[in-house]
Amino acid sequence: MSERWRPSGAAVAALLVGLLVTAALAVTSLVLYHHNERRLLNLRVREVGLVLSGASASVQTPLASAAALADATGGDPARFKAFLAPLVGTGRQFASVSLWTPGASRPLAVVGAAPSPAARAAVARSAGAPGSLEILNMLGAKHPSLGFEYRQAGPGRRYVVYSENPLPANRRSRLESNSAFADLGYVLYLGRSRHARDLLLTSERTLPVHGPTASEVVPFGAGAFTLVVTPREPLGGGFFHALPWITAAFGVLLALAAAAMTDRLTRRRRRAEGLAARLDELAAENRRRYIEQRSIAHTLQQALLPATLPQLAGLRVRAQYVPAQSGGDIGGDWYDVVAVGRRQALLVIGDVSGHGVDAATTMALIRHATLAYIAQDHRPGVVLGKLSRFVTGITRDYFATVLCALVDIDGHTLTLASAGHLPPLLLDGERGDYVKLTAEPPIGFPHGESFREATVSVPPGATLVAFTDGLVERRGEILDEGLERLREMACREHLDDDLLARLASELTSDDHRDDTALVSIQWQS
């Protein structure tokens, strides 16, 4: 009679030890998973907070620039509207932007939708600190919205620029599926509270959020937002989520292998987090330097452009400057209209190669040299000849295209010379033609004593439109297509004060990468 099989004590002990080790590893994996998820969730909320905080500059910069422009122009509504028109509208940065004086009940100028009654009251009673971006709470209004106010700092008259964006009535706004934060649910509150009355936006159906959460108070201008995020899926990946169950199922040997793999992956995760932190620091530093350089170049170029243009009897002179919206720094476009006699004026418009602070400072050098040569002899060919000799005689690594046009008011004539610049457009009613010029080398290339001139007659009531290449150049198309597009659009528009603003709005896209300058001169008779 055979004996019943019984496991040996060593086998039982090995099994018990194996089961204990397996259980310990499974519990350890579970604890590490939750700890890792918590750390990753904290990292993600900080990442989202950095992105949200970084957006403060993109809101404050255009509002501050608009306030400075209003101060420089005495609150000129037309220049205020022209400056902000590319940023306001459906699908753009702002739904509405308006210009106010402190304590006023009505705005001086409005771009986009008219401010709501709640906004008017909020701006009128607001007493924000000058020089900072204030957040106006209009969540309890009939049509909830979020307003931003920038009150100009400094002595003298202070202007207030106010922008407004509507909020969804139910506050629901999901992240795009291809977003870097699509694996997170979020709740965004105004201020430092989590009250339902302060809710701005959320991706969640029910509040408060259940499950693991992380929160961050994000400074935004002079105010703050409270951000709460929750994971929609395991942040460390599905493998780490299932690892405790895999460890428990496979036993002693696979438990040891899983423990070794967990240790290896943990080290990889820590190295990845360290690398991500270093990359975040580098990106923040690069972003700070870029904003600083762009701000310097933009301020310098705005200061160098003429604040006012001479208004001569018989002529109407207008100008428009559109800075680049994307892809880099400020360029070197400039213009001047100089009265050179009782009944004559000299138009100068040019474009320096390159971008950034170097291009802006180079533009200043060439512009002031041009003004000096105009004072000596205002003939266009002579001015360009002297300017060419000046630039080729110094060490330089740039060039510039320049157009000079001498306007004879009573004689109804134009005398023009071009150093590689695009010809101006002459509009006569519904007809428009580019002035025929002999294109000569840009400034910075060797040339003779003077540039060849062309003289054309101007019909009564005609308008001359001079521009830089940013208005007509498009990536992937030939220049003639852009010139024809400008000619057709200019012929369709009425010759009034808004001509340049409409051309700039229609012909420069939201992502154009080059500055654009336009000048129009219209004969009144």
Side-chain angles (χ1 to χ4, degrees), residues 141-440:
K142 181 179 180 181
H143 300 287
S145 61
L146 186 62
F148 297 100
E149 174 194 273
Y150 183 88
R151 188 177 297 266
Q152 186 187 12
R157 187 178 187 184
R158 296 177 179 174
Y159 289 92
V160 178
V161 179
Y162 170 75
S163 70
E164 183 177 4
N165 284 304
L167 296 174
N170 60 2
R171 304 295 200 276
R172 292 292 305 282
S173 177
R174 296 184 59 82
L175 291 170
E176 297 293 338
S177 60
N178 59 353
S179 167
F181 307 109
D183 57 347
L184 297 175
Y186 73 95
V187 185
L188 187 64
Y189 297 93
L190 179 61
R192 298 175 179 272
S193 73
R194 298 191 188 181
H195 295 297
R197 65 176 179 272
D198 296 322
L199 176 64
L200 284 177
L201 294 171
T202 181
S203 63
E204 302 303 299
R205 293 181 178 275
T206 59
L207 296 176
V209 177
H210 299 287
T213 61
S215 64
E216 181 90 359
V217 176
V218 181
F220 199 95
F225 296 125
T226 297
L227 174 67
V228 180
V229 299
T230 183
R232 294 186 178 277
E233 58 190 42
L235 300 179
F239 174 76
F240 284 98
H241 179 65
L243 183 59
W245 306 104
I246 295 174
T247 303
F250 278 81
V252 176
L253 295 178
L254 292 181
L256 294 175
M261 183 178 295
T262 302
D263 182 66
R264 180 182 179 185
L265 293 176
T266 300
R267 288 196 300 269
R268 285 185 176 181
R269 175 184 55 79
R270 289 175 181 174
R271 286 197 298 270
E273 290 177 357
L275 177 60
R278 290 193 294 271
L279 290 176
D280 286 342
E281 292 175 0
L282 180 60
E285 178 63 19
N286 289 339
R287 183 166 56 251
R288 183 191 64 78
R289 291 181 180 179
Y290 169 80
I291 293 174
E292 180 180 4
Q293 182 180 12
R294 180 177 176 86
S295 176
I296 292 172
H298 184 72
T299 302
L300 176 60
Q301 186 161 27
Q302 288 291 343
L304 292 173
L305 291 175
T308 59
L309 296 174
Q311 298 297 322
L312 302 177
L315 290 182
R316 174 175 291 180
V317 182
R318 295 290 184 269
Q320 183 87 11
Y321 173 75
V322 183
Q325 294 300 314
S326 65
D329 305 306
I330 300 299
D333 295 22
W334 92 95
Y335 58 84
D336 270 304
V337 178
V338 182
V340 295
R342 295 184 61 187
R343 305 296 293 164
Q344 287 185 326
L346 188 67
L347 163 65
V348 182
I349 187 168
D351 184 4
V352 175
S353 61
H355 295 83
V357 177
D358 290 341
T361 53
T362 299
M363 178 268 283
L365 175 67
I366 295 180
R367 176 173 178 257
H368 288 105
T370 303
L371 293 175
Y373 294 139
I374 292 172
Q376 297 174 3
D377 190 335
H378 57 259
R379 288 177 294 174
V382 175
V383 171
L384 292 182
K386 291 181 178 181
L387 186 61
S388 178
R389 292 193 297 276
F390 167 71
V391 172
T392 56
I394 61 176
T395 301
R396 48 84 188 166
D397 56 358
Y398 61 88
F399 67 90
T401 65
V402 184
L403 173 72
C404 288
L406 180 62
V407 180
D408 189 328
I409 302 174
D410 296 331
H412 279 262
T413 61
L414 283 170
T415 302
L416 308 98
S418 172
H421 201 84
L422 295 173
L425 180 64
L426 187 60
L427 302 173
D428 180 16
E430 296 182 355
R431 177 181 176 82
D433 296 292
Y434 289 99
V435 178
K436 297 185 182 302
L437 292 175
T438 300
E440 300 198 54

Side-chain angles (χ1 to χ4, degrees), residues 24-40 240 243-244 258-259 262-263 266 269-270:
L25 290 175
V27 171
T28 301
S29 298
L30 186 61
V31 171
L32 287 175
Y33 166 76
H34 286 297
H35 178 69
N36 183 43
E37 288 290 293
R38 170 56 59 185
R39 292 187 61 184
L40 290 176
F240 284 98
L243 183 59
T262 302
D263 182 66
T266 300
R269 175 184 55 79
R270 289 175 181 174

Side-chain angles (χ1 to χ4, degrees), residues 428-496:
D428 180 16
E430 296 182 355
R431 177 181 176 82
D433 296 292
Y434 289 99
V435 178
K436 297 185 182 302
L437 292 175
T438 300
E440 300 198 54
I443 299 299
F445 292 88
H447 196 272
E449 289 295 319
S450 65
F451 283 66
R452 283 174 287 183
E453 298 179 346
T455 301
V456 297
S457 298
V458 180
T463 298
L464 181 74
V465 178
F467 53 90
T468 56
D469 56 9
L471 187 66
V472 294
E473 284 188 343
R474 296 290 185 275
R475 182 177 298 179
E477 73 174 21
I478 62 175
L479 182 60
D480 289 346
E481 294 180 8
L483 292 172
E484 181 62 19
R485 180 170 53 244
L486 169 61
R487 190 188 68 80
E488 292 179 355
M489 182 168 295
C491 291
R492 290 198 306 266
E493 300 290 347
H494 296 292
L495 301 180
D496 56 24

